[in-house]
Coordinates of all heavy atoms in Angstrom, one line a residue:
E1 N -4.3 7.4 10.0 CA -2.8 7.2 10.1 C -2.4 7.1 8.6 O -1.3 7.7 8.3 CB -2.5 5.7 10.6 CG -1.0 5.5 10.7 CD -0.7 4.2 11.4 OE1 -1.6 3.6 12.1 OE2 0.4 3.7 11.2
I2 N -3.1 6.4 7.7 CA -2.7 6.5 6.3 C -2.8 7.8 5.7 O -1.8 8.2 4.9 CB -3.6 5.5 5.5 CG1 -3.3 4.0 6.0 CG2 -3.3 5.5 4.0 CD1 -4.3 3.0 5.5
N3 N -3.8 8.6 5.9 CA -4.0 9.8 5.5 C -2.9 10.8 6.0 O -2.4 11.7 5.3 CB -5.4 10.5 5.8 CG -6.5 9.8 5.2 OD1 -6.2 9.2 4.1 ND2 -7.7 9.9 5.7
A4 N -2.5 10.6 7.2 CA -1.5 11.5 7.7 C 0.0 11.0 7.4 O 0.9 11.8 7.7 CB -1.6 11.5 9.3
S5 N 0.0 10.0 6.7 CA 1.4 9.6 6.3 C 2.0 10.5 5.2 O 1.4 11.4 4.8 CB 1.3 8.2 5.7 OG 0.7 8.1 4.5
D6 N 3.2 10.2 4.7 CA 3.9 11.1 3.8 C 3.3 11.1 2.4 O 3.8 10.5 1.5 CB 5.4 10.6 3.7 CG 6.2 11.6 2.7 OD1 5.8 12.7 2.6 OD2 7.1 11.1 2.3
E7 N 2.0 11.7 2.4 CA 1.3 11.7 1.1 C 1.2 10.3 0.3 O 1.6 10.3 -0.8 CB 1.9 12.8 0.2 CG 1.8 14.2 0.7 CD 2.3 15.3 -0.2 OE1 2.8 14.9 -1.3 OE2 2.1 16.4 0.1
A8 N 0.9 9.3 1.1 CA 0.8 8.0 0.5 C -0.1 7.9 -0.7 O -1.3 8.5 -0.7 CB 0.2 7.0 1.6
R9 N 0.4 7.5 -1.8 CA -0.3 7.4 -3.2 C -0.9 5.9 -3.4 O -1.6 5.8 -4.2 CB 0.5 7.8 -4.2 CG 0.9 9.3 -4.2 CD -0.3 10.3 -4.2 NE 0.1 11.5 -4.7 CZ 0.5 12.4 -3.8 NH1 0.7 12.1 -2.5 NH2 0.8 13.6 -4.2
A10 N -0.3 5.0 -2.6 CA -0.7 3.6 -2.8 C -0.8 2.9 -1.5 O 0.1 3.0 -0.6 CB 0.3 2.9 -3.7
L11 N -1.7 1.9 -1.4 CA -1.8 1.1 -0.2 C -1.8 -0.3 -0.6 O -2.7 -0.8 -1.4 CB -3.1 1.5 0.5 CG -3.5 0.5 1.7 CD1 -2.6 0.7 2.9 CD2 -4.9 1.0 2.2
Y12 N -0.8 -1.1 0.0 CA -0.8 -2.5 -0.2 C -1.3 -3.2 1.0 O -0.8 -2.9 2.1 CB 0.5 -3.0 -0.6 CG 0.8 -2.9 -2.0 CD1 0.9 -1.7 -2.7 CD2 1.2 -4.1 -2.7 CE1 1.3 -1.7 -4.0 CE2 1.6 -4.0 -4.1 CZ 1.6 -2.8 -4.7 OH 1.9 -2.8 -6.1
C13 N -2.2 -4.1 0.9 CA -2.6 -4.9 2.1 C -3.0 -6.3 1.7 O -3.3 -6.6 0.6 CB -3.8 -4.1 2.8 SG -5.5 -4.4 2.0
T14 N -3.0 -7.1 2.7 CA -3.3 -8.6 2.5 C -4.8 -8.8 2.5 O -5.6 -8.1 3.2 CB -2.6 -9.4 3.6 OG1 -2.9 -9.0 4.9 CG2 -1.1 -9.3 3.5
L15 N -5.2 -10.0 2.0 CA -6.7 -10.3 1.9 C -7.2 -10.4 3.3 O -8.3 -10.1 3.5 CB -6.9 -11.6 1.1 CG -8.2 -12.1 0.9 CD1 -8.9 -11.0 0.0 CD2 -8.3 -13.3 0.2
E16 N -6.4 -10.8 4.3 CA -7.0 -11.0 5.6 C -7.4 -9.7 6.2 O -8.1 -9.6 7.2 CB -5.9 -11.7 6.6 CG -4.7 -10.8 6.7 CD -3.4 -11.7 7.2 OE1 -3.3 -12.8 6.8 OE2 -2.7 -11.1 8.1
T17 N -6.8 -8.6 5.7 CA -7.1 -7.2 6.1 C -8.2 -6.6 5.3 O -8.8 -5.7 5.7 CB -5.9 -6.4 6.0 OG1 -4.8 -7.0 6.6 CG2 -6.1 -5.0 6.7
L18 N -8.6 -7.2 4.2 CA -9.5 -6.7 3.2 C -10.9 -6.2 3.9 O -11.4 -5.2 3.6 CB -9.7 -7.7 2.1 CG -10.6 -7.1 0.9 CD1 -10.0 -5.9 0.3 CD2 -10.7 -8.2 -0.2
Q19 N -11.5 -7.2 4.6 CA -12.8 -6.8 5.1 C -12.6 -5.6 6.1 O -13.5 -4.8 6.1 CB -13.3 -8.0 6.0 CG -13.9 -9.1 5.1 CD -14.7 -10.0 6.0 OE1 -14.3 -10.4 7.1 NE2 -15.7 -10.6 5.4
N20 N -11.7 -5.4 6.8 CA -11.5 -4.3 7.6 C -11.1 -3.0 6.8 O -11.5 -1.9 7.1 CB -10.3 -4.5 8.7 CG -10.7 -5.4 9.8 OD1 -11.9 -5.6 10.1 ND2 -9.8 -5.7 10.6
A21 N -10.3 -3.2 5.8 CA -9.7 -2.0 5.2 C -10.5 -1.5 4.0 O -10.4 -0.3 3.6 CB -8.3 -2.4 4.6
T22 N -11.2 -2.4 3.3 CA -11.8 -1.9 1.9 C -12.9 -0.7 2.1 O -12.6 0.2 1.6 CB -12.6 -3.2 1.3 OG1 -11.6 -4.1 1.1 CG2 -13.2 -2.7 0.0
E23 N -13.8 -0.9 3.0 CA -14.9 0.0 3.1 C -14.4 1.4 3.6 O -14.7 2.4 3.0 CB -16.1 -0.5 3.8 CG -16.7 -1.8 3.2 CD -17.2 -1.6 1.8 OE1 -17.4 -0.3 1.4 OE2 -17.3 -2.5 1.0
P24 N -13.8 1.5 4.8 CA -13.4 2.8 5.2 C -12.3 3.4 4.4 O -12.5 4.7 4.2 CB -12.8 2.5 6.6 CG -12.4 1.1 6.6 CD -13.4 0.4 5.7
A25 N -11.5 2.7 3.8 CA -10.4 3.3 2.9 C -11.1 3.7 1.5 O -10.8 4.9 1.1 CB -9.4 2.3 2.5
A26 N -12.0 3.0 1.1 CA -12.6 3.3 -0.2 C -13.5 4.5 -0.1 O -13.8 5.2 -1.0 CB -13.3 2.1 -0.8
S27 N -14.1 4.7 1.1 CA -15.0 5.8 1.3 C -14.3 7.1 1.8 O -14.9 8.2 1.9 CB -16.0 5.4 2.3 OG -15.4 5.2 3.5
N28 N -13.0 7.1 2.0 CA -12.3 8.2 2.5 C -11.6 8.9 1.4 O -10.6 8.3 0.8 CB -11.3 7.8 3.6 CG -10.8 8.9 4.4 OD1 -10.0 9.8 3.8 ND2 -11.1 9.0 5.7
A29 N -12.1 10.1 1.2 CA -11.3 10.8 0.0 C -10.0 11.3 0.1 O -9.4 11.6 -0.8 CB -12.3 12.1 -0.3
A30 N -9.4 11.1 1.2 CA -8.0 11.6 1.5 C -7.0 10.5 1.1 O -5.8 10.8 1.0 CB -7.8 12.1 2.9
I31 N -7.4 9.3 1.0 CA -6.5 8.3 0.6 C -6.2 8.3 -0.8 O -7.1 8.3 -1.7 CB -6.9 6.9 1.0 CG1 -7.0 6.8 2.6 CG2 -6.1 5.8 0.5 CD1 -7.3 5.4 3.1
R32 N -4.9 8.2 -1.3 CA -4.6 8.3 -2.7 C -4.3 6.9 -3.3 O -3.7 6.1 -2.6 CB -3.3 9.2 -3.0 CG -3.4 10.5 -2.2 CD -4.3 11.4 -2.9 NE -5.2 11.9 -1.9 CZ -6.4 12.3 -2.1 NH1 -6.8 12.2 -3.2 NH2 -7.2 12.8 -1.2
D33 N -4.6 6.8 -4.6 CA -4.1 5.5 -5.3 C -4.1 4.3 -4.5 O -3.2 3.6 -4.4 CB -2.7 5.9 -5.7 CG -2.5 7.2 -6.5 OD1 -3.6 7.6 -7.1 OD2 -1.4 7.7 -6.4
L34 N -5.2 3.9 -3.9 CA -5.4 2.8 -3.0 C -5.1 1.5 -3.7 O -5.8 1.2 -4.7 CB -6.8 2.8 -2.4 CG -7.1 1.8 -1.3 CD1 -6.2 1.9 -0.2 CD2 -8.5 1.8 -0.9
I35 N -4.3 0.7 -3.3 CA -4.1 -0.7 -3.8 C -4.3 -1.7 -2.6 O -3.6 -1.8 -1.7 CB -2.6 -0.8 -4.4 CG1 -2.4 0.2 -5.5 CG2 -2.5 -2.3 -5.0 CD1 -1.0 0.1 -6.1
L36 N -5.3 -2.4 -2.8 CA -5.6 -3.4 -1.7 C -5.1 -4.9 -2.3 O -5.5 -5.2 -3.4 CB -7.1 -3.5 -1.5 CG -7.8 -2.3 -0.9 CD1 -9.2 -2.5 -0.8 CD2 -7.1 -2.0 0.4
D37 N -4.3 -5.5 -1.6 CA -3.7 -6.7 -2.0 C -4.2 -8.0 -1.5 O -4.6 -8.0 -0.3 CB -2.1 -6.7 -1.7 CG -1.3 -6.3 -2.7 OD1 -1.5 -6.8 -3.8 OD2 -0.3 -5.6 -2.5
N38 N -4.3 -9.0 -2.4 CA -4.8 -10.2 -1.9 C -3.6 -11.1 -1.3 O -2.5 -10.7 -1.5 CB -5.4 -11.1 -3.1 CG -4.5 -11.5 -4.2 OD1 -3.3 -11.9 -3.9 ND2 -4.8 -11.3 -5.4

């Protein structure tokens, strides 16, 4: 969903999402400028 968005260059997320979001996002080459938020 993030990759298919309007060329997202940054991702903000809360710490409660970090365990779910960090690994798949960090390993996916199509996500740009990832920003994971505490």
Side-chain angles (χ1 to χ4, degrees):
E1 180 180 347
I2 296 168
N3 290 340
S5 66
D6 182 23
E7 295 186 353
R9 296 298 197 278
L11 171 66
Y12 273 62
C13 76
T14 57
L15 186 60
E16 64 200 38
T17 312
L18 184 58
Q19 282 190 323
N20 283 347
T22 300
E23 297 303 336
S27 64
N28 192 295
I31 290 183
R32 311 288 126 213
D33 309 333
L34 183 65
I35 302 182
L36 296 176
D37 256 323
N38 64 49

